[in-house]
Amino acid sequence: MKRKILPTQVIRFFVQLFSLLFFPMSFAILLSQIKSLYLAIIGKETFNWNSNFILLIVTVIVTIFFGRFFCGWICAFGTITEWTNLLFRKLFKIKFEMPRKVDKALKGLKYIVLIYLIVFIWTFGDKQLVDPWDAFDNLVSLNFNISLYLANFVFLLLILFFSPFVLKPYCRYFCPLGAVFNKDSARSLHLL
């Protein structure tokens, strides 16, 4: 039985394609605005209001009402890994499901990445973070000197390698924005 394609799926596809082509670095923009806001709060720098901050505000508001809209509709990295998974599942009929306990345990990693990012990278200025987004940013910027970001590039390749088998592996297990915009994170804020 063939599954019917819903109008929202078609709209989502075109929004993802548009975002991938015209806003591939939206993830980096949002993360940099969260960083700027955090550094202003702790008094390390002065916060500058700009159009990118408006993007963060809109994203937070949309996330409150519609869930992780940014992650599922706008984020270029999520789109690439999701489409890789979909393509391989359709072409090769791959049917792999991560065991539930392993999946649940790995989902906690993104919170560790977020804490590490905030405490060590942003607060203390440590630059030791292997990030596939850095490789993605360099490639989108047409910087093909991979030796400058080799560890990040290897991480990017690993994420792409696992994408056919695990839906959005970076988003599920490593993404700091996934931790920020997670519905469980939003619930815990309501409890404060």
Side-chain angles (χ1 to χ4, degrees), residues 17-176:
L17 181 62
F18 181 81
S19 297
L20 180 62
L21 294 175
F22 298 105
F23 303 108
M25 297 314 300
S26 57
F27 170 91
I29 292 169
L30 285 179
L31 200 57
S32 72
Q33 290 306 300
I34 292 170
K35 174 185 177 183
S36 295
L37 185 60
Y38 169 75
L39 292 176
I41 289 170
I42 65 169
K44 286 190 96 173
E45 65 179 48
T46 305
F47 186 77
N48 295 320
W49 292 85
N50 58 38
S51 59
N52 290 338
F53 187 67
I54 293 169
L55 176 66
L56 175 63
I57 291 171
V58 169
T59 302
V60 168
I61 291 169
V62 170
T63 300
I64 289 169
F65 291 104
F66 298 107
R68 289 190 289 182
F69 179 83
F70 174 82
C71 299
W73 289 60
I74 308 296
C75 180
F77 204 60
T79 297
I80 290 169
T81 58
E82 179 182 333
W83 288 358
T84 302
N85 182 274
L86 181 65
L87 179 69
F88 274 79
R89 283 182 181 244
K90 294 290 184 190
L91 288 177
F92 302 109
K93 307 295 184 215
I94 294 173
K95 184 85 171 160
F96 175 81
E97 294 296 326
M98 182 70 76
R100 186 170 289 175
K101 288 183 179 182
V102 174
D103 182 60
K104 187 175 181 179
L106 290 175
K107 283 181 178 178
L109 286 175
K110 66 180 161 257
Y111 298 101
I112 294 169
V113 170
L114 178 62
I115 291 167
Y116 179 81
L117 183 70
I118 291 170
V119 173
F120 294 102
I121 306 290
W122 294 352
T123 306
F124 298 115
D126 183 12
K127 300 290 183 199
Q128 303 301 314
L129 181 67
V130 178
D131 182 9
W133 265 101
D134 184 52
F136 183 74
D137 181 29
N138 277 288
L139 293 172
V140 167
S141 302
L142 304 178
N143 177 2
F144 299 112
N145 188 358
I146 295 170
S147 63
L148 296 175
Y149 53 94
L150 184 60
N152 297 331
F153 184 74
V154 169
F155 191 19
L156 175 63
L157 289 179
L158 283 171
I159 294 297
L160 293 175
F161 175 78
F162 284 108
S163 292
F165 308 104
V166 179
L167 181 62
K168 298 183 179 182
Y170 180 76
C171 307
R172 293 170 71 97
Y173 306 129
F174 301 106
C175 181

